[in-house]
Amino acid sequence: GKTVAIIGFGSQGHAHAMNLKESGVDVVVGLRPGSQHVAKAEAAGLKVLDIEEAAEAGNVVMMLVPDELAPAIYKNQIAKHMEGDTLMFAHGFNIHYSQIQPADYLDVSMVAPKGPGHIVRSLYTQGSGVPCLIAVEQDKSGKAKEFALAYAAAIGAIQGILTTMLSIIVFVYGKRGG
């Protein structure tokens, strides 16, 4: 019953948007005007909006843009449209290092598939999937973990879903350099 706004349509954005759509979730894709990905997302049958329109349309905003771009995009185009919604990430960097500081009235969580987007998508289409890590940073609604689990299942995490903390994810990624 929620609309998920996928911000970005690169490797992970494509996989999340397509898998969610095929799982029956209402999905919009937020892209900047003139993005090379607009035609790809539209050809895949997805509704494409500019980033602000997508943030306004979504009850859930999943940030799937590069970490270095996410803080400005969130601050300038998304934050003003979040009212008691859910903010999600596929990586813990921007939350752990306070590059993005979400309002305290939001649910904030992470669903991190353990594979590149083309594998997440390919395995989903084969009826399989990759494991996902989930984490909850803020649970204003009392249902953030439940929703993260449902989101992970909808993108195809039928091989397993592990709960962790955002800070652990960043530490592990940091040790591996990425």
Side-chain angles (χ1 to χ4, degrees):
K2 294 182 183 267
T3 298
V4 176
I6 300 293
I7 308 302
F9 200 70
S11 175
Q12 288 292 327
H14 171 265
H16 285 235
M18 293 301 299
N19 293 3
L20 288 167
K21 178 183 177 221
E22 291 178 16
S23 290
V25 176
D26 183 23
V27 178
V28 298
V29 176
L31 296 170
R32 62 180 165 69
S35 168
Q36 64 182 0
H37 296 296
V38 170
K40 292 176 188 175
E42 288 175 341
L46 294 160
K47 182 176 182 179
V48 178
L49 304 170
D50 72 33
I51 292 170
E52 287 194 44
E53 290 173 331
E56 191 170 358
N59 310 101
V60 176
V61 172
M62 172 54 106
M63 297 289 291
L64 294 171
V65 296
D67 284 337
E68 67 273 13
L69 302 178
I73 291 170
Y74 179 76
K75 179 181 177 185
N76 298 324
Q77 298 176 280
I78 293 173
K80 59 188 164 196
H81 300 291
M82 305 283 300
E83 298 177 9
D85 294 330
T86 299
L87 178 63
M88 299 182 81
F89 297 88
H91 187 283
F93 179 88
N94 279 299
I95 295 297
H96 180 76
Y97 290 108
S98 301
Q99 301 300 300
I100 293 177
Q101 298 178 352
D104 62 0
Y105 53 79
L106 299 174
D107 281 353
V108 179
S109 59
M110 180 189 72
V111 175
K114 300 292 83 203
H118 69 279
I119 299 295
V120 172
R121 179 70 183 137
S122 175
L123 290 176
Y124 178 92
T125 63
Q126 296 171 29
S128 185
V130 299
C132 283
L133 298 175
I134 67 165
V136 174
E137 180 71 10
Q138 289 179 190
D139 187 11
K140 185 65 178 177
S141 70
K143 296 181 179 185
K145 182 177 179 183
E146 177 183 328
F147 187 77
L149 288 166
Y151 184 103
I155 63 168
I158 62 173
Q159 299 301 325
I161 301 170
L162 303 170
T163 303
T164 187
M165 298 181 322
L166 285 174
S167 59
I168 291 174
I169 297 303
V170 172
F171 177 75
V172 170
Y173 281 148
K175 288 293 185 184
R176 293 187 180 163

PDB file of all heavy atoms in Angstrom, residues 14-36:
ATOM      1  N   HIS A  14      18.201   0.316 -10.897  1.00  0.00           N
ATOM      2  CA  HIS A  14      17.504  -0.478 -11.906  1.00  0.00           C
ATOM      3  C   HIS A  14      16.974  -1.775 -11.300  1.00  0.00           C
ATOM      4  O   HIS A  14      15.807  -2.135 -11.478  1.00  0.00           O
ATOM      5  CB  HIS A  14      18.451  -0.781 -13.078  1.00  0.00           C
ATOM      6  CG  HIS A  14      17.892  -1.754 -14.058  1.00  0.00           C
ATOM      7  ND1 HIS A  14      18.172  -3.101 -14.002  1.00  0.00           N
ATOM      8  CD2 HIS A  14      17.049  -1.589 -15.102  1.00  0.00           C
ATOM      9  CE1 HIS A  14      17.524  -3.718 -14.981  1.00  0.00           C
ATOM     10  NE2 HIS A  14      16.846  -2.821 -15.666  1.00  0.00           N
ATOM     11  N   ALA A  15      17.841  -2.477 -10.592  1.00  0.00           N
ATOM     12  CA  ALA A  15      17.441  -3.761 -10.012  1.00  0.00           C
ATOM     13  C   ALA A  15      16.325  -3.588  -8.986  1.00  0.00           C
ATOM     14  O   ALA A  15      15.330  -4.327  -9.013  1.00  0.00           O
ATOM     15  CB  ALA A  15      18.652  -4.446  -9.370  1.00  0.00           C
ATOM     16  N   HIS A  16      16.469  -2.628  -8.071  1.00  0.00           N
ATOM     17  CA  HIS A  16      15.440  -2.415  -7.052  1.00  0.00           C
ATOM     18  C   HIS A  16      14.110  -2.060  -7.714  1.00  0.00           C
ATOM     19  O   HIS A  16      13.070  -2.645  -7.382  1.00  0.00           O
ATOM     20  CB  HIS A  16      15.852  -1.294  -6.100  1.00  0.00           C
ATOM     21  CG  HIS A  16      16.901  -1.663  -5.121  1.00  0.00           C
ATOM     22  ND1 HIS A  16      16.736  -1.513  -3.762  1.00  0.00           N
ATOM     23  CD2 HIS A  16      18.150  -2.152  -5.279  1.00  0.00           C
ATOM     24  CE1 HIS A  16      17.833  -1.900  -3.133  1.00  0.00           C
ATOM     25  NE2 HIS A  16      18.716  -2.295  -4.043  1.00  0.00           N
ATOM     26  N   ALA A  17      14.133  -1.083  -8.638  1.00  0.00           N
ATOM     27  CA  ALA A  17      12.884  -0.620  -9.253  1.00  0.00           C
ATOM     28  C   ALA A  17      12.181  -1.747  -9.995  1.00  0.00           C
ATOM     29  O   ALA A  17      10.964  -1.957  -9.828  1.00  0.00           O
ATOM     30  CB  ALA A  17      13.175   0.555 -10.189  1.00  0.00           C
ATOM     31  N   MET A  18      12.907  -2.484 -10.817  1.00  0.00           N
ATOM     32  CA  MET A  18      12.285  -3.552 -11.605  1.00  0.00           C
ATOM     33  C   MET A  18      11.785  -4.685 -10.715  1.00  0.00           C
ATOM     34  O   MET A  18      10.676  -5.197 -10.911  1.00  0.00           O
ATOM     35  CB  MET A  18      13.272  -4.085 -12.643  1.00  0.00           C
ATOM     36  CG  MET A  18      13.618  -3.071 -13.724  1.00  0.00           C
ATOM     37  SD  MET A  18      12.168  -2.516 -14.650  1.00  0.00           S
ATOM     38  CE  MET A  18      11.607  -4.058 -15.349  1.00  0.00           C
ATOM     39  N   ASN A  19      12.590  -5.086  -9.736  1.00  0.00           N
ATOM     40  CA  ASN A  19      12.173  -6.182  -8.860  1.00  0.00           C
ATOM     41  C   ASN A  19      10.962  -5.787  -8.024  1.00  0.00           C
ATOM     42  O   ASN A  19      10.031  -6.591  -7.854  1.00  0.00           O
ATOM     43  CB  ASN A  19      13.328  -6.633  -7.971  1.00  0.00           C
ATOM     44  CG  ASN A  19      14.456  -7.281  -8.765  1.00  0.00           C
ATOM     45  OD1 ASN A  19      14.423  -7.356  -9.986  1.00  0.00           O
ATOM     46  ND2 ASN A  19      15.476  -7.736  -8.056  1.00  0.00           N
ATOM     47  N   LEU A  20      10.967  -4.570  -7.484  1.00  0.00           N
ATOM     48  CA  LEU A  20       9.811  -4.108  -6.712  1.00  0.00           C
ATOM     49  C   LEU A  20       8.560  -4.082  -7.579  1.00  0.00           C
ATOM     50  O   LEU A  20       7.495  -4.554  -7.162  1.00  0.00           O
ATOM     51  CB  LEU A  20      10.072  -2.712  -6.131  1.00  0.00           C
ATOM     52  CG  LEU A  20      11.070  -2.627  -4.992  1.00  0.00           C
ATOM     53  CD1 LEU A  20      11.457  -1.170  -4.738  1.00  0.00           C
ATOM     54  CD2 LEU A  20      10.535  -3.257  -3.714  1.00  0.00           C
ATOM     55  N   LYS A  21       8.682  -3.522  -8.781  1.00  0.00           N
ATOM     56  CA  LYS A  21       7.530  -3.449  -9.691  1.00  0.00           C
ATOM     57  C   LYS A  21       6.970  -4.842  -9.958  1.00  0.00           C
ATOM     58  O   LYS A  21       5.757  -5.064  -9.883  1.00  0.00           O
ATOM     59  CB  LYS A  21       7.935  -2.774 -10.998  1.00  0.00           C
ATOM     60  CG  LYS A  21       6.817  -2.698 -12.012  1.00  0.00           C
ATOM     61  CD  LYS A  21       7.290  -2.093 -13.323  1.00  0.00           C
ATOM     62  CE  LYS A  21       6.138  -2.123 -14.301  1.00  0.00           C
ATOM     63  NZ  LYS A  21       6.538  -2.498 -15.630  1.00  0.00           N
ATOM     64  N   GLU A  22       7.862  -5.789 -10.255  1.00  0.00           N
ATOM     65  CA  GLU A  22       7.400  -7.143 -10.565  1.00  0.00           C
ATOM     66  C   GLU A  22       6.886  -7.881  -9.331  1.00  0.00           C
ATOM     67  O   GLU A  22       6.192  -8.884  -9.459  1.00  0.00           O
ATOM     68  CB  GLU A  22       8.500  -7.924 -11.277  1.00  0.00           C
ATOM     69  CG  GLU A  22       8.736  -7.377 -12.673  1.00  0.00           C
ATOM     70  CD  GLU A  22       9.838  -8.068 -13.441  1.00  0.00           C
ATOM     71  OE1 GLU A  22      10.265  -9.178 -13.048  1.00  0.00           O
ATOM     72  OE2 GLU A  22      10.280  -7.484 -14.447  1.00  0.00           O
ATOM     73  N   SER A  23       7.207  -7.360  -8.143  1.00  0.00           N
ATOM     74  CA  SER A  23       6.662  -7.923  -6.899  1.00  0.00           C
ATOM     75  C   SER A  23       5.331  -7.265  -6.535  1.00  0.00           C
ATOM     76  O   SER A  23       4.771  -7.551  -5.479  1.00  0.00           O
ATOM     77  CB  SER A  23       7.663  -7.734  -5.751  1.00  0.00           C
ATOM     78  OG  SER A  23       8.789  -8.560  -5.944  1.00  0.00           O
ATOM     79  N   GLY A  24       4.846  -6.356  -7.385  1.00  0.00           N
ATOM     80  CA  GLY A  24       3.543  -5.736  -7.157  1.00  0.00           C
ATOM     81  C   GLY A  24       3.578  -4.438  -6.382  1.00  0.00           C
ATOM     82  O   GLY A  24       2.529  -3.944  -5.953  1.00  0.00           O
ATOM     83  N   VAL A  25       4.740  -3.858  -6.204  1.00  0.00           N
ATOM     84  CA  VAL A  25       4.877  -2.600  -5.467  1.00  0.00           C
ATOM     85  C   VAL A  25       4.701  -1.432  -6.432  1.00  0.00           C
ATOM     86  O   VAL A  25       5.174  -1.469  -7.571  1.00  0.00           O
ATOM     87  CB  VAL A  25       6.266  -2.528  -4.772  1.00  0.00           C
ATOM     88  CG1 VAL A  25       6.481  -1.197  -4.085  1.00  0.00           C
ATOM     89  CG2 VAL A  25       6.420  -3.684  -3.794  1.00  0.00           C
ATOM     90  N   ASP A  26       4.041  -0.375  -5.975  1.00  0.00           N
ATOM     91  CA  ASP A  26       3.906   0.860  -6.743  1.00  0.00           C
ATOM     92  C   ASP A  26       5.250   1.593  -6.679  1.00  0.00           C
ATOM     93  O   ASP A  26       5.693   1.966  -5.590  1.00  0.00           O
ATOM     94  CB  ASP A  26       2.777   1.713  -6.153  1.00  0.00           C
ATOM     95  CG  ASP A  26       2.522   2.981  -6.946  1.00  0.00           C
ATOM     96  OD1 ASP A  26       2.862   3.041  -8.149  1.00  0.00           O
ATOM     97  OD2 ASP A  26       1.976   3.927  -6.351  1.00  0.00           O
ATOM     98  N   VAL A  27       5.889   1.785  -7.835  1.00  0.00           N
ATOM     99  CA  VAL A  27       7.233   2.346  -7.894  1.00  0.00           C
ATOM    100  C   VAL A  27       7.262   3.553  -8.824  1.00  0.00           C
ATOM    101  O   VAL A  27       6.665   3.522  -9.903  1.00  0.00           O
ATOM    102  CB  VAL A  27       8.246   1.298  -8.438  1.00  0.00           C
ATOM    103  CG1 VAL A  27       9.643   1.891  -8.556  1.00  0.00           C
ATOM    104  CG2 VAL A  27       8.264   0.065  -7.560  1.00  0.00           C
ATOM    105  N   VAL A  28       7.949   4.601  -8.383  1.00  0.00           N
ATOM    106  CA  VAL A  28       8.306   5.713  -9.258  1.00  0.00           C
ATOM    107  C   VAL A  28       9.819   5.855  -9.193  1.00  0.00           C
ATOM    108  O   VAL A  28      10.441   5.501  -8.195  1.00  0.00           O
ATOM    109  CB  VAL A  28       7.608   7.038  -8.876  1.00  0.00           C
ATOM    110  CG1 VAL A  28       6.096   6.918  -9.002  1.00  0.00           C
ATOM    111  CG2 VAL A  28       7.994   7.503  -7.491  1.00  0.00           C
ATOM    112  N   VAL A  29      10.396   6.365 -10.262  1.00  0.00           N
ATOM    113  CA  VAL A  29      11.839   6.568 -10.325  1.00  0.00           C
ATOM    114  C   VAL A  29      12.108   8.064 -10.405  1.00  0.00           C
ATOM    115  O   VAL A  29      11.529   8.753 -11.255  1.00  0.00           O
ATOM    116  CB  VAL A  29      12.457   5.844 -11.537  1.00  0.00           C
ATOM    117  CG1 VAL A  29      13.948   6.139 -11.645  1.00  0.00           C
ATOM    118  CG2 VAL A  29      12.213   4.345 -11.441  1.00  0.00           C
ATOM    119  N   GLY A  30      12.967   8.548  -9.513  1.00  0.00           N
ATOM    120  CA  GLY A  30      13.346   9.954  -9.512  1.00  0.00           C
ATOM    121  C   GLY A  30      14.689  10.145 -10.182  1.00  0.00           C
ATOM    122  O   GLY A  30      15.683   9.559  -9.746  1.00  0.00           O
ATOM    123  N   LEU A  31      14.695  10.960 -11.236  1.00  0.00           N
ATOM    124  CA  LEU A  31      15.922  11.243 -11.972  1.00  0.00           C
ATOM    125  C   LEU A  31      16.008  12.737 -12.278  1.00  0.00           C
ATOM    126  O   LEU A  31      14.984  13.423 -12.363  1.00  0.00           O
ATOM    127  CB  LEU A  31      15.960  10.459 -13.288  1.00  0.00           C
ATOM    128  CG  LEU A  31      16.010   8.938 -13.169  1.00  0.00           C
ATOM    129  CD1 LEU A  31      15.797   8.280 -14.525  1.00  0.00           C
ATOM    130  CD2 LEU A  31      17.331   8.499 -12.562  1.00  0.00           C
ATOM    131  N   ARG A  32      17.220  13.210 -12.469  1.00  0.00           N
ATOM    132  CA  ARG A  32      17.398  14.612 -12.840  1.00  0.00           C
ATOM    133  C   ARG A  32      16.980  14.775 -14.301  1.00  0.00           C
ATOM    134  O   ARG A  32      17.115  13.848 -15.106  1.00  0.00           O
ATOM    135  CB  ARG A  32      18.828  15.066 -12.602  1.00  0.00           C
ATOM    136  CG  ARG A  32      19.846  14.333 -13.398  1.00  0.00           C
ATOM    137  CD  ARG A  32      21.270  14.818 -13.142  1.00  0.00           C
ATOM    138  NE  ARG A  32      22.239  13.882 -13.652  1.00  0.00           N
ATOM    139  CZ  ARG A  32      22.466  13.622 -14.930  1.00  0.00           C
ATOM    140  NH1 ARG A  32      21.773  14.230 -15.860  1.00  0.00           N
ATOM    141  NH2 ARG A  32      23.378  12.747 -15.296  1.00  0.00           N
ATOM    142  N   PRO A  33      16.460  15.961 -14.649  1.00  0.00           N
ATOM    143  CA  PRO A  33      16.098  16.202 -16.054  1.00  0.00           C
ATOM    144  C   PRO A  33      17.315  15.999 -16.955  1.00  0.00           C
ATOM    145  O   PRO A  33      18.423  16.394 -16.631  1.00  0.00           O
ATOM    146  CB  PRO A  33      15.660  17.674 -16.058  1.00  0.00           C
ATOM    147  CG  PRO A  33      15.250  17.950 -14.640  1.00  0.00           C
ATOM    148  CD  PRO A  33      16.156  17.095 -13.788  1.00  0.00           C
ATOM    149  N   GLY A  34      17.095  15.350 -18.069  1.00  0.00           N
ATOM    150  CA  GLY A  34      18.172  15.108 -19.015  1.00  0.00           C
ATOM    151  C   GLY A  34      19.020  13.885 -18.717  1.00  0.00           C
ATOM    152  O   GLY A  34      19.953  13.581 -19.451  1.00  0.00           O
ATOM    153  N   SER A  35      18.710  13.157 -17.657  1.00  0.00           N
ATOM    154  CA  SER A  35      19.480  11.956 -17.322  1.00  0.00           C
ATOM    155  C   SER A  35      19.393  10.942 -18.448  1.00  0.00           C
ATOM    156  O   SER A  35      18.333  10.732 -19.041  1.00  0.00           O
ATOM    157  CB  SER A  35      18.948  11.325 -16.035  1.00  0.00           C
ATOM    158  OG  SER A  35      19.497  10.037 -15.849  1.00  0.00           O
ATOM    159  N   GLN A  36      20.520  10.298 -18.721  1.00  0.00           N
ATOM    160  CA  GLN A  36      20.547   9.248 -19.749  1.00  0.00           C
ATOM    161  C   GLN A  36      19.697   8.054 -19.354  1.00  0.00           C
ATOM    162  O   GLN A  36      19.364   7.216 -20.200  1.00  0.00           O
ATOM    163  CB  GLN A  36      21.982   8.798 -20.001  1.00  0.00           C
ATOM    164  CG  GLN A  36      22.625   8.133 -18.792  1.00  0.00           C
ATOM    165  CD  GLN A  36      24.073   7.741 -19.030  1.00  0.00           C
ATOM    166  OE1 GLN A  36      24.618   7.954 -20.094  1.00  0.00           O
ATOM    167  NE2 GLN A  36      24.684   7.172 -18.018  1.00  0.00           N
TER     168      GLN A  36
END
